[in-house]
Amino acid sequence: MFEALSYESLQAYWWFIISLLGALLVFMMFVQGGQTLINKLAKNEDEKTVLYNLFGHKWEITFTILVTFGGAFFASFPLFYSTSFGGAYWVWMAILFAFIIQAVSYEYRKKKNNFLGSKTYEAFLFINGVIAPVLIGTAVSTFFTGSQFSIDKSRIVNMGSNVKAVISQWETPWHGLEAVWTTSHLAFLQNLALGLAVFFLVRVIALLYVNKMVDDKNILANSNKCLKRNSVLFLVFFLFWLIRLLFINGFAVNPNTQEIFMEPYKYLHNILASPMIIILLLAGVVLVLWGIYSGIFKQDAKAFWKTGIGTVLTVLAIFFIAGFNHTAYYPSTFDLQSSITLANSSSSKFTLIVMSYVSIMIPFVVAYIVWAWKSMDNHKLSTEGMKNEEIKY
């Protein structure tokens, strides 16, 4: 089955898997978005309990997708994993720390006699809700603006010399954090714009989820007010990022020599060269806008799914723009030829084939998540209803 595929087709298949996991992760970070809104939506402890239980039942799905995303990247494109996770480690450590305190907070917020108090854990959840989407969005933007690292595979054979026996090396002491202040080509504007766009997007999705699943007049009234503001802010940052992306120089790969070079309007060319990307991007953006419109003006319960599916399609398109059509998906601004592509960063063909068979299990995992989701969302939550239920979070 998978043995019949070429090496390039297997690399493309696994980039699709990575892209899909990344898209699902962005969608599921509505949990993080919701955590930053609880103090705006809830005016008393009963209302807070409703919201913490609403989002608390979903945080494990988000975390599972994050871990799977990292694991899939490690197995399929190990050079990217070692370069980014091993080089830009302050960014990834901050993201990991944010998810750790989220897990701890949901576990201990309602525990009796916890010495930190529930307010501390609520603050941790707010921190997680800000750091995770902003840093993940900023990190994805570096797929287009570049990072400062070098790769030299000959270093691994210099075990006895003074040269570090590592293939990839980060060339700044900030190890990834410089993405938020790199002034070259105004990269920091592009990176922060996507980080903030993701932040406000997950807040929008969270508010649509509240409107779908909560039966409380006060919470819903506050939610509708917040929805308008966050939708406008999301659109401002996302449209700035997307429009600017169309006009910046991109990191192209010569298919014959594998040489990396700068190509004007590269990412616009990637979109125009692929009908699939055009369809995904247009369908995704339209669904997101439709969901926001129907949520604000029609209070449509299905607005959550419209915006959620639109988010998945749009992020898929963004990953495809970054990786396909002879493009360096993790470019180096320190040494252009160190830029990472699908061809130079993937595992061996044998490894990709074996993992492709394992990937057949994905639909069964998705089916289980769908079943569990339906079980958790079989009724709306309200302050009165919570009095008759076991309060977990």
Side-chain angles (χ1 to χ4, degrees), residues 87-104:
Y89 56 76
W90 285 126
V91 174
W92 295 111
M93 286 297 290
I95 292 171
L96 181 60
F97 172 76
F99 276 93
I100 290 173
I101 63 174
Q102 180 196 37
V104 172

Side-chain angles (χ1 to χ4, degrees), residues 16-77:
F16 165 74
I17 297 292
I18 293 295
S19 302
L20 180 60
L21 289 170
L24 291 173
L25 175 62
V26 173
F27 164 58
M28 282 304 305
M29 280 197 297
F30 77 84
V31 174
Q32 273 68 28
Q35 291 165 188
T36 66
L37 291 161
I38 288 177
N39 288 329
K40 289 185 177 294
L41 303 182
K43 300 306 178 185
N44 56 56
E45 285 301 317
D46 289 339
E47 292 176 357
K48 280 186 178 182
T49 298
V50 169
L51 294 173
Y52 278 116
N53 278 269
L54 178 69
F55 296 116
H57 285 98
K58 298 293 190 301
W59 77 266
E60 290 168 310
I61 298 176
T62 310
F63 188 78
T64 300
I65 294 174
L66 174 70
V67 173
T68 307
F69 175 74
F73 240 138
F74 169 73
S76 55
F77 299 101

Side-chain angles (χ1 to χ4, degrees), residues 32-33 35-36 98 125-135 195 199 203:
Q32 273 68 28
Q35 291 165 188
T36 66
L125 290 172
F126 181 85
I127 292 170
N128 166 261
V130 174
I131 289 178
V134 171
L135 288 185
F199 173 69
R203 282 164 68 101

Side-chain angles (χ1 to χ4, degrees), residues 141 145-146 179 181-192 244:
S141 185
T145 60
W181 63 70
T182 299
T183 57
S184 178
H185 304 292
L186 299 179
F188 75 98
L189 281 179
Q190 193 75 357
N191 296 338
L192 286 175
R244 193 170 183 273

Side-chain angles (χ1 to χ4, degrees), residues 29 46 66 129 138 166 169 194 272 298 327 367 385:
M29 280 197 297
D46 289 339
L66 174 70
T138 300
V166 292
Q169 183 171 296
L194 188 59
L272 297 178
K298 296 185 177 181
T327 309

